[in-house]
Amino acid sequence: MTPSNHLATQVDEAAEKAPNGTPDSLRDHTTVLESRDLVVRYGTTEAVKGITLEIPEKMVTAIIGPSGCGKSTFLRTLNRMNDFVPSVSISGHVFYRGTDLYSRDVDPVEARRRIGMVFQKPNPFPKSIFRNVSWGPAINGVPKRQLPDLVEDSLRKAALWDEVKDRLHDSALGLSGGQQQRLCIARSLAMEPEILLMDEPCSALDPVSTGKIEDLMFELKKRYTMVIVTHNMQQAARVSDYTAFLEAGVLVEFDDTDQLFTNPSVRRTEEYVTGRFG
């Protein structure tokens, strides 16, 4: 059997257990974001191949898989960040509370406000800590008098306020890497999103900073829905409620995280999470 046919057989096995990629346990939760038969191409190359996946409200969903499997491409499709890549074409659907985000009457800027994004490498603006957080709300019409409270609230939600409250007008570039990443999270939260997408948010951080970000995720999911791409199996197991395993642009398996890591239904998933993947 060729590798591609082998993968196709294992994907079929997963589909028999979870039609349309939906674990039975998800049926008791509200779906806030959903991809349906989603295909993403760079030119003629398919990076995401017909993924159907439901994201539950106020939970953490992890996306795992080997490098180049389409994780980040899939994530960026969920808030139309791939619109900025000229060679990308998309078919299928992404629904946010039942609205197709790729329909002509949807404003992509508003979509990105409601579905925020935190990138792999911290990218604070070369401005003060205060202006990093207040910039987006200010240009979107939030009155100046409301900005101090909004900044404080966002920094508190990002577990950063106590560390920076006495130097809000210092450059954000003077913060440590972990603090910069939490500042970027605060910057996203200031726009009052409902969903937060995180693309390997801890890959550039030391273990202490990583621990702080993970602790923050547990707090944030009380208010927000989160989708996180990670190469770190231990991190996915620690922080997520549900996990999706992608290989070569295909959704191989999607299940409750404990179930997927301890008793996966597809052998290819087991090989990946146990380090025998190749």
Side-chain angles (χ1 to χ4, degrees), residues 87-250:
S87 64
V88 165
S89 61
I90 294 171
S91 61
H93 303 277
V94 176
F95 294 100
Y96 168 61
R97 294 202 178 278
T99 297
D100 190 338
L101 290 180
Y102 286 85
S103 64
R104 292 183 178 180
D105 58 346
V106 168
D107 178 0
V109 175
E110 177 63 14
R112 293 181 203 113
R113 187 193 71 76
R114 293 176 179 269
I115 307 170
M117 187 84 159
V118 176
F119 297 95
Q120 179 176 357
K121 184 178 179 180
N123 59 343
F125 302 143
K127 302 178 184 296
S128 70
I129 295 168
F130 183 93
R131 293 198 71 191
N132 261 268
V133 181
S134 65
W135 183 262
I139 65 175
N140 280 275
V142 173
K144 187 175 182 179
R145 66 181 181 278
Q146 295 180 15
L147 293 177
D149 287 342
L150 178 59
V151 168
E152 179 177 345
D153 181 62
S154 300
L155 289 169
R156 286 188 182 280
K157 287 177 180 175
L160 189 58
W161 173 254
D162 288 340
E163 297 172 41
V164 302
K165 62 184 179 181
D166 295 325
R167 48 180 175 143
L168 293 177
H169 300 290
D170 292 352
S171 172
L173 301 181
L175 297 174
S176 70
Q179 289 174 326
Q180 287 185 10
Q181 191 66 299
R182 281 181 284 150
L183 178 66
C184 292
I185 293 172
R187 191 172 66 192
S188 292
L189 297 180
M191 297 302 294
E192 300 183 340
E194 181 177 8
I195 300 169
L196 199 57
L197 310 179
M198 297 185 173
D199 192 357
E200 297 191 60
C202 301
S203 65
L205 304 181
D206 61 80
V208 173
S209 296
T210 294
K212 290 183 178 181
I213 297 291
E214 291 182 1
D215 289 343
L216 178 57
M217 290 182 197
F218 284 108
E219 289 301 312
L220 289 177
K221 76 175 183 179
K222 296 174 183 178
R223 303 186 187 188
Y224 304 95
T225 299
M226 285 179 285
V227 186
I228 175 174
V229 163
T230 180
H231 276 109
N232 187 322
M233 297 300 96
Q234 292 77 22
Q235 182 174 77
R238 285 192 300 265
V239 305
S240 69
D241 301 286
Y242 287 87
T243 298
F245 170 51
L246 272 59
E247 183 183 4
V250 174

Side-chain angles (χ1 to χ4, degrees), residues 18-23 26 33-39 48-55 74 78 92-93 95 244 246 249-254:
N20 296 322
T22 305
L26 259 188
L33 196 60
E34 177 186 3
S35 69
R36 192 176 300 170
D37 301 320
L38 182 65
V39 176
V48 172
K49 304 174 182 179
I51 290 181
T52 293
L53 182 65
E54 296 181 17
I55 305 298
F74 175 74
L78 299 180
H93 303 277
F95 294 100
L246 272 59
V250 174
L251 176 60
V252 177
E253 186 165 1
F254 178 48

Side-chain angles (χ1 to χ4, degrees), residues 22-42:
T22 305
D24 288 340
S25 59
L26 259 188
R27 303 188 192 284
D28 296 328
H29 299 289
T30 299
T31 296
V32 66
L33 196 60
E34 177 186 3
S35 69
R36 192 176 300 170
D37 301 320
L38 182 65
V39 176
V40 184
R41 297 179 179 87
Y42 292 97

